[in-house]
Each structure stands twice: as structure tokens, then as C-alpha cells.
Amino acid sequence: MGQQAEKKVLMKTPFHLAAVVIVIAALLTGCAGGANGGADGNGSKAAGASGSKEQAAAAKANDAPDLSKVTLRIGQTGWPNWELGFKEAKLDDTPYKIEFSVFQGGNNQLLAIAANQLDLAATSEIPPLFAALAANQGNFKVIAVQRGNTLNQELVIPAGSEVKSVSDLKGKKVAYVANTTAHYFLIKMLEENGLTWQDIEPVQLPTSEGLSALLSGSVAALASYGNSIISARQKGATELASAKDILSGNFLIEASNDALADEAKKAAIADFLQRLSSFHNWTRKNQERWAEIVSEQTHQPYEEALGTLKEGEKQRSVELVPISQEAIASLKDVADVLRKVGVLTEDVDVPSIWSEVFAEQLKNLKSP
């Protein structure tokens, strides 16, 4: 289910020590207030109120969950971008442990959440629609939206192909990654060129197998994303159509219902979202260094990685934003398209799979 890497990080300042410091400070404030009260009739009352607030804050801190006992299981697609990025940006000093896992697609991350093998996932708009039709609505809720670019989402053909347009794919085998953006944008591309899903011979394959099928000539075209598109181009494949203007750029962050029901894990997720936003800001300020890491991980030339990063930032700056009616409406539109062509076999209650549990925190994140 992807490679796993466990990161164990200890809190630099033990939580209970911090609470003791607060309590001592509160007691000292109370003593000082008593002394002032002898000289000023209002001093005792004011100091007493201040002491009560300090003690209340200390009590609240004592009731807070112990994050040192939490392990967050987090999914990534394609390569360990968050894991490596947090380390490089010095954001990995979390007061909880993180287990990062790499998956070929967001659909597999949601399968892991359904099986209670993952706490947090990041996907396109497509996987949640299929996952929501499973038992217990997939055991997840969408908790945030990560706005980003839509580059490297393409329909490609192999070198030397006789196919010149999407309409030339009629009656031909076309590989795609099921229940992902590739599934959705292939449907849209066919429609835009007067074809239907029934006009082609769709071949459902994972990213790596789809690339192999394309290069071997087993399929006429491949609808895919990310590393598989980068690799396809490096091996002579060319773009037949791009999905950059088809996709919304909304990438959804999902949490398992089990994690949201656990106060300690919920607190850890809140902290992680803040760090994720800081990571996006770091990549904007350190594009050259981040391009080096991307180049190493995706095996593409550094200049190409940097160019894609700059182009992507220009198209749509990556940022973490709260849930909005516009984002929900966008997902509903995607569901309607998939339902119309019979890819989704049932209607999905789209609003029910969202949760605003982190809404206030997300509103306070710094925009790029």
C-alpha cells in the first residue's frame, strides 16, 4: 500500500512542565495582587480576577490532549513530497509522531482510510465521490481545500503515433487511472470532440502499468497525471490534450471519521494543517531548492522541474483554504458529469461528506 516511513519526534518542552510554569505564574500573580490590595481597595478584586483567569488557562492547558502519544498516518501521492518538504523547511518538529505513506493515487488513500489504515489523505475531487458510495460513506470527511495548479494532467500518445486528435481515438484502446482526475478529464475531452465513453475501448490501469502499456503500444493513448506524465514525455510521448483548463484546481484534504472523533488526533491534525500552509509558503520563497528536490524525486531535469514550479505558481498559487460553497458546488458539478455518463452508479449526497470542524483555523491562515 506504498512505502511507509515513521518519524518519531519528541516535544522540545514537555507539555506538563509548561502547565506547571503557568500555574506557578498564576500563584505569583495572586500573591502580588494581595499585597497591592492593602494599599488600594480595588487592587485585591482586580488581582483576584486576573489570578482566576490565569488559573482557568492553566486548568484548560491541563485538560488539553497529550500529543506526544499521537501517531498521525498521512497519505501522499506519487512521491514523499510532504515528508521531504517538511524536513527541508524545518517543519518536522511535531509534538506527535507521523507515519507518511506513498500511494499511486488519491483513490488508494481513501481505500486506506475506509480500512482504518490512514488518518489523513489528499486527493483530487474525483476519489471522494466513489468512496462516498462505500459502507459508512467511506469513513471520511473533507476538512479543507488545497488550491493548486492543474499542470501534468494530460492525455498523451506515444512517439510515432498516427493519432493526431482526440477524435482519432474512436474505436481505439485508451488507458486511464480509474476514479481519479484522469477518469474525469478523459470523459470531458471525449465530449468536447464529439465522442462518448462508448466510442473508445477504455482500459483501466494503475499509473505505472498505464505508462508501460502506452510505451509498448498496447494502448493508443494514456490519460494520467504527475510522475507518469513526466516519465512519458521523457520517453518520447507527446501531449494530445491538456486538462489544465478542465480541472478546477481543487485538491481535497480528507480525515477519517475515527481521527476526527479522537480529540488528540483532531488537535494533531489542526497543527499539521498549520504546518502544511507554512510549507506552501516556504516553497514559494525557496523555489530553487524545492526544484532540486522535485528533480531528484521525479527524475526530471532540474531546469524542467523549476520551470514547471514557476509555471504552476503563475497559473494558480498553492494554498490551503477553508471549505466554501463554491468548492462544494464544484464537486457537485463533477458528480453530475460522472453520473450522467454512468461512471457513478448512484447519486452522491455531496454536502454530507464535508466538515467545517477546522473552518475558523483555516480562515486565519496566511494567504500567499
Side-chain angles (χ1 to χ4, degrees):
M1 190 172 288
Q3 301 172 344
Q4 293 194 345
E6 179 176 321
K7 174 168 67 62
K8 299 181 178 179
V9 183
L10 297 177
M11 296 176 65
K12 293 183 178 179
T13 303
F15 173 80
H16 296 293
L17 177 59
V20 170
V21 172
I22 293 173
V23 172
I24 292 173
L27 292 174
L28 289 176
T29 301
C31 291
N36 289 336
D40 184 346
N42 293 327
S44 177
K45 183 177 180 180
S50 175
S52 296
K53 289 180 180 179
E54 294 285 358
Q55 289 167 2
K60 184 177 180 181
N62 271 323
D63 290 337
D66 182 359
L67 298 189
S68 68
K69 297 180 180 179
V70 172
T71 297
L72 269 188
R73 301 165 299 174
I74 300 175
Q76 306 160 101
T77 295
W79 59 283
N81 55 332
W82 285 354
E83 182 178 5
L84 295 176
F86 272 42
K87 182 178 181 180
E88 188 67 25
K90 295 179 172 54
L91 293 166
D92 60 343
D93 58 337
T94 55
Y96 45 88
K97 304 177 187 72
I98 297 181
E99 289 181 356
F100 284 108
S101 298
V102 177
F103 296 79
Q104 286 193 346
N107 54 333
N108 293 328
Q109 291 186 47
L110 290 184
L111 286 174
I113 278 186
N116 196 25
Q117 298 298 309
L118 206 64
D119 299 311
L120 207 63
T123 75
S124 71
E125 292 176 300
I126 316 318
L129 296 173
F130 291 90
L133 297 178
N136 192 25
Q137 283 192 303
N139 189 40
F140 75 92
K141 285 289 186 288
V142 179
I143 59 169
V145 176
Q146 182 174 276
R147 297 280 291 159
N149 70 72
T150 52
L151 305 182
N152 290 330
Q153 303 256 2
E154 301 174 8
L155 178 63
V156 294
I157 52 177
S161 174
E162 295 180 355
V163 172
K164 303 302 179 186
S165 68
V166 174
S167 58
D168 291 339
L169 293 175
K170 186 173 183 178
K172 292 182 169 57
K173 291 182 179 180
V174 180
Y176 70 102
V177 189
N179 304 348
T180 67
T181 49
H183 200 161
Y184 173 70
F185 72 64
L186 178 56
I187 292 170
K188 296 291 287 184
M189 288 173 178
L190 293 172
E191 288 181 345
E192 290 173 357
N193 288 271
L195 300 179
T196 67
W197 193 250
Q198 290 69 36
D199 287 324
I200 64 168
E201 189 176 338
V203 181
Q204 178 180 322
L205 293 172
T207 52
S208 58
E209 292 179 25
L211 178 59
S212 297
L214 179 78
L215 299 176
S216 69
S218 300
V219 297
L222 167 67
S224 193
Y225 47 78
N227 284 353
S228 63
I229 292 300
I230 293 170
S231 297
R233 286 206 212 97
Q234 291 173 343
K235 297 181 184 300
T238 56
E239 174 192 306
L240 185 63
S242 171
K244 68 178 182 179
D245 296 325
I246 294 175
L247 301 173
S248 67
N250 289 347
F251 296 89
L252 310 183
I253 307 296
E254 298 95 354
S256 74
N257 291 337
D258 301 310
L260 294 177
D262 183 318
E263 289 302 315
K265 280 198 172 183
K266 190 164 71 172
I269 291 172
D271 177 83
F272 181 83
L273 292 176
Q274 178 63 61
R275 291 170 188 268
L276 181 58
S277 179
S278 297
F279 165 61
H280 293 324
N281 290 331
W282 179 87
T283 60
R284 271 184 282 279
K285 297 174 183 177
N286 298 272
Q287 291 186 341
E288 289 77 12
R289 176 57 188 142
W290 185 234
E292 289 178 4
I293 295 173
V294 172
S295 175
E296 292 168 3
Q297 292 295 314
T298 62
H299 307 293
Q300 64 182 133
Y302 165 76
E303 292 299 332
E304 182 179 312
L306 181 60
T308 299
L309 184 61
K310 289 180 178 294
E311 185 182 349
E313 191 67 22
K314 184 178 179 181
Q315 186 208 34
R316 187 178 292 108
S317 189
V318 181
E319 59 177 327
L320 203 59
V321 299
I323 292 167
S324 65
Q325 288 304 310
E326 290 77 11
I328 295 174
S330 176
L331 186 60
K332 181 71 166 58
D333 287 341
V334 173
D336 289 344
V337 169
L338 297 177
R339 186 76 171 97
K340 182 178 67 176
V341 299
V343 174
L344 271 179
T345 57
E346 302 174 38
D347 290 329
V348 177
D349 183 4
V350 172
S352 71
I353 65 175
W354 299 72
S355 170
E356 296 192 2
V357 64
F358 299 108
E360 289 304 313
Q361 176 192 342
L362 291 167
K363 287 176 184 176
N364 294 325
L365 294 179
K366 293 182 179 180
S367 299

